[in-house]
Amino acid sequence: MASPRFILKTELSGLEAVTAGGAAVLDADARLRALLGPERAALFAEPVVTWGNGRNAGSVSWYAVAGGDPLPLSALAPARRAAVEQRLGEMLASLAPQMGDPLLRGALVLAGPESILAVDDQPLITGWGLAPAGALRDPSSRAAHLRAVYGAAVPPALLAEGAPEPPRAAPPGPPPAAAAPRPAVAPPPVAPVA
């Protein structure tokens, strides 16, 4: 089996990490892959997260097994784009049995439409588990964001969810005078998934 290769980097500035069960979905990549199995998990690029430290927002480097170069859907010829979008719709439909899992629902929230790429004529999702700041503040904003990302391929079960909890700021570290050392990296603000 081929090794994953670097696909792209997502800067976390202006984005919030989506949470499920109080933890960032991005930090549960191994659990997501176990939930989905290898074939369906291949839809999601593997994240390597560098959380921000207050001064720097942080970033996520995305990796996947790919022979060809990743292309945004907007760069594809219309017929090729339609084929990749159809395949994306089929793959999302195959996830329906697990759509009740908060981890999967959180992973299906993407940073934006540019998070969906075509690699070797297959869809690949990057930017998963991330949302623009405020995009999940209420059910209407959440639905608008998901429709903007997925278009006609948005999974109905993803739209049917209740309102997520409001985004929370990362917990503060110990005060400077505390004896315990301050963590080098603090998690970003989070947007929980209902």
Side-chain angles (χ1 to χ4, degrees), residues 5 64-69 119-120:
R5 71 178 183 102
V65 174
D69 290 327
V119 178
D120 304 327

Side-chain angles (χ1 to χ4, degrees), residues 33-34 116 134 162:
R33 293 181 189 289
I116 303 172

